[in-house]
Amino acid sequence: MLALRTLGKTCRRSAATLWRRTAAQSAGQRMDIRGIYPPIATPFTEKEEVDYQKLHDNLQKYAKMPFRGLVVQGSNGEYPYLTAEERVEVVRRVREALPREKLVMAGSGCESTMATVQMTEQMVQAGADAVLVVTPCYYRGRMDSKALIHHYTQVADSSPVPVVLYSVPANTGLDLPVDAVVALSQHPNIVGLKDSGGDITRIALIIHKTSSEDFQVLAGSAGFLLAAYSVGAVGGVCALANILGPQVCQLEELCLSGQWEAAKALQYRLIEPNTAVTRKFGVAALKQAMEWFGYHGGVCRAPLQPLSESEVKMLRQDFSSNGWL
């Protein structure tokens, strides 16, 4: 009986998702993804098992914040270290815990096109409203525009939900080429790009060259959120929002309302903490800072290691010197 109820829920979720996509496409519209998304961390127990109770506790807090939604199984979720089953289960738990109006954008990228198509379908069945697809990179020397356009086209053709491209060169060693982004922006089921590279001239050029396609660009970091908004980005997927969620949302509001001086003052105070929990110290720092601010961060899954004592002190300094601790 329980299995039948679960199957029924899955079928209803899949039907609802397909209906939303069909309705939007028939109206000539793409999903609106504007807003702020924290790419949530995956809590683990001391034995490095996914701690679903602590995940639920974090979600209850995030649900009360003015986020557009959550990114689940992005880089900060340690997705490369999770099994396929864990990746899907985390998405399912997030969808069940969040209010319906909050979007769940699930990371479904894998190295092969076939695996990405299959993972995307599983994410949709788990309740994802959209999927975030990172560039395949193991054979990065052969991942030219032709290969990447083919990959993303195949994924978008088969996906029941909208696809968001994901370029994160710090982790993949590969920038999704501008010409590939422009070509892919014409696909009706590819709604936007999360660009984590931080090159504002590149972001501006992409926005300019895709302006006729209703294509949406999300900044991939709080460190350049103001700059991205100034050239036409519509939101951000920001690791720092896991910790300073209200402040990142406030920066969004200041930018959207044209209060640039106040936005600039706030942006300055976010740069060092943001750098600390991203390229400086990474996921271990994000999880450490989450603990200071009342969230469950906890340990990383090996081979990621905890911060050293000196690194923790530097991390605290990056937050305290900007008035956050």
Side-chain angles (χ1 to χ4, degrees), residues 130-142:
V131 289
L132 182 69
V133 181
V134 70
T135 50
C137 63
Y138 188 81
Y139 298 108
R140 67 177 58 85
R142 299 296 295 169

Side-chain angles (χ1 to χ4, degrees), residues 296-315:
H296 296 299
V299 299
C300 294
R301 185 170 274 183
L304 283 179
Q305 295 295 296
L307 300 183
S308 67
E309 186 177 337
S310 63
E311 288 173 332
V312 171
K313 289 180 180 178
M314 287 187 280
L315 175 64

Side-chain angles (χ1 to χ4, degrees), residues 35-245:
I36 300 298
Y37 302 76
I40 63 171
T42 303
F44 296 108
T45 67
E46 291 300 322
K47 294 183 178 180
E48 297 186 15
E49 298 170 345
V50 178
D51 193 325
Y52 291 108
Q53 182 56 56
K54 288 185 176 179
L55 172 65
H56 183 80
D57 292 345
N58 286 342
L59 294 172
Q60 296 308 298
K61 296 178 181 179
Y62 292 147
K64 298 174 184 176
M65 296 181 187
F67 296 135
R68 180 68 178 90
L70 304 181
V71 165
V72 189
Q73 295 308 301
S75 302
N76 289 286
E78 298 175 68
Y79 84 88
Y81 296 166
L82 271 64
T83 66
E85 293 77 14
E86 287 173 329
R87 289 176 68 180
V88 174
E89 180 63 14
V90 169
V91 171
R92 188 184 71 80
R93 299 284 186 116
V94 172
R95 179 68 279 172
E96 289 183 350
L98 277 189
R100 185 66 252 177
E101 67 270 14
K102 301 284 190 184
L103 289 182
V104 172
M105 191 182 296
S108 66
C110 301
E111 281 300 307
S112 77
T113 303
M114 179 183 293
T116 304
V117 167
Q118 293 172 350
M119 179 59 75
T120 295
E121 178 59 36
Q122 291 179 65
M123 293 298 194
V124 173
Q125 291 177 3
D129 299 295
V131 289
L132 182 69
V133 181
V134 70
T135 50
C137 63
Y138 188 81
Y139 298 108
R140 67 177 58 85
R142 299 296 295 169
M143 291 298 104
D144 56 11
S145 292
K146 180 181 177 182
L148 291 167
I149 289 171
H150 180 268
H151 173 73
Y152 281 109
T153 299
Q154 294 295 307
V155 173
D157 281 349
S158 66
S159 175
V161 298
V163 172
V164 178
L165 312 175
Y166 182 18
S167 183
V168 55
N171 289 350
T172 63
L174 178 68
D175 244 333
L176 186 55
V178 172
D179 67 307
V181 176
V182 173
L184 290 166
S185 73
Q186 300 172 50
H187 194 292
N189 201 35
I190 296 178
V191 298
L193 163 73
K194 176 196 172 187
D195 195 306
S196 296
D199 183 342
I200 291 300
T201 59
R202 167 189 154 88
I203 290 173
L205 184 61
I206 288 171
I207 292 169
H208 172 62
K209 286 185 172 291
T210 61
S211 59
S212 63
E213 299 297 338
D214 189 26
F215 188 74
Q216 303 159 86
V217 175
L218 300 171
S221 175
F224 53 88
L225 187 59
L226 182 153
Y229 269 115
S230 75
V231 297
V234 301
V237 180
C238 305
L240 192 62
N242 283 290
I243 304 158
L244 299 176

